[in-house]
Amino acid sequence: MKRLFALLLALSTLPGCARAEMLVDLHVLDLEDNQFLVRHPHEGRQYIEGRPGHRYAVVLQNLTPRRVLAVLSVDGVNAITGQTAGTGQSGYVLEPWQRLEVRGWRKDLSSVAAFHFTALGDSYAARTGRPQNVGVIGVAAFRERELEEITVYGTRAEAQAKAGASADAAAPAMESRAPAAPVARQQLGTGHGERLRSDARRTRFERESDRPDQVMSLWYDATEALVARGVLPPRWDAPEAFPVGFTPDP
């Protein structure tokens, strides 16, 4: 078993209840409205409605009492390394029950370039010659291998969690699914925005398996495109018989 390394962000931890079928939950937080984007089920997928120009954060929630590794893909690009995404690559290590907000493309151990919804052609993936997978956010989650004999006391566990270096590994296929016939052309992508402060550390993590224990995806697009695909109902602004209360001056 190859030893792999991943980035660990020191962020807030929330209590929760583990679910056997899921290691990590995935949501998208609109940072302009400070609201989670509603997930709309459609033909076996989950869609969210993005607004052009709005910055957002990918929120990862560890649902287990153990550390897990979450490899994050945005538009088919690894959000840490900038590589075309594969499940064997670097990711974020989540402590038990930890909630992590990933607000951008990682530039170094102290900053990210903000995620924001933008036109497909202005997306980071398209600008780097990879527009084929624009419109989807995914996470591949891994359990940590448990050592048979280990004794750790006091703060030594915290010290071990902060040790290590980053490395990448060959990636298996992310997931298999039959491609759906497109009804509307993809409109939105994720841009490479302004620099934001985001501190991270490197930590050692050994995967229990080379294959992810969970893969989850959220598809996104602009309102008009989601309406055209049948994800959202048509929106009709009904005309008003008396739009003005009094007769205005000419």
Side-chain angles (χ1 to χ4, degrees):
M1 174 67 67
K2 296 181 180 179
R3 282 194 174 274
L4 299 176
F5 300 88
L7 288 166
L8 170 69
L9 251 69
L11 293 182
S12 61
T13 302
L14 297 179
C17 297
R19 289 186 282 174
E21 71 276 13
M22 292 181 64
L23 303 181
V24 174
D25 202 0
L26 169 65
H27 291 274
V28 174
L29 176 65
D30 187 311
L31 296 175
E32 310 302 328
D33 296 335
N34 195 32
Q35 293 183 344
F36 285 103
L37 298 181
V38 177
R39 296 189 291 203
H40 302 278
H42 180 70
E43 297 182 350
R45 294 179 176 178
Q46 298 282 332
Y47 288 86
I48 56 175
E49 180 182 1
R51 295 186 179 182
H54 281 216
R55 294 178 302 165
Y56 72 85
V58 178
V59 181
L60 304 173
Q61 174 74 60
N62 185 354
L63 303 174
T64 79
R66 296 172 53 186
R67 292 204 316 170
V68 297
L69 171 65
V71 180
L72 178 61
S73 167
V74 177
D75 293 349
V77 177
N78 186 299
I80 291 175
T81 67
Q83 297 172 296
T84 299
T87 58
Q89 296 168 351
S90 296
Y92 288 98
V93 172
L94 305 179
E95 295 296 325
W97 313 118
Q98 185 181 3
R99 176 183 183 271
L100 173 67
E101 289 187 10
V102 183
R103 297 194 172 205
W105 308 98
R106 183 146 296 279
K107 304 305 294 182
D108 49 43
L109 291 178
S110 61
S111 67
V112 296
F115 292 145
H116 64 96
F117 293 118
T118 188
L120 188 152
D122 188 48
S123 67
Y124 176 68
R127 292 172 63 187
T128 54
R130 297 167 291 178
Q132 298 87 348
N133 295 297
V134 170
V136 62
I137 300 167
V139 61
F142 294 82
R143 293 185 176 91
E144 186 171 22
R145 174 176 290 276
E146 291 185 337
L147 301 180
E148 293 181 0
E149 296 181 6
I150 184 169
T151 304
V152 180
Y153 299 99
T155 60
R156 185 178 175 185
E158 298 176 5
Q160 288 185 346
K162 297 176 182 178
S166 63
D168 293 328
M174 188 166 188
E175 61 182 335
S176 59
R177 56 179 174 81
V183 177
R185 186 183 299 273
Q186 180 75 26
Q187 294 184 15
L188 284 188
T190 296
H192 183 279
E194 74 276 17
R195 290 289 186 98
L196 303 174
R197 181 67 183 266
S198 177
D199 293 325
R201 297 184 179 93
R202 302 183 189 275
T203 186
R204 183 184 298 270
F205 186 99
E206 186 174 348
R207 306 177 194 218
E208 189 174 76
S209 170
D210 290 334
R211 297 180 61 85
D213 297 293
Q214 174 197 349
V215 175
M216 180 179 180
S217 299
L218 287 180
W219 284 263
Y220 70 88
D221 211 340
T223 304
E224 296 79 5
L226 295 182
V227 170
R229 294 189 185 103
V231 177
L232 298 177
R235 297 182 179 180
W236 180 56
D237 294 328
E240 298 182 18
F242 301 97
V244 178
F246 298 95
T247 303
D249 293 332

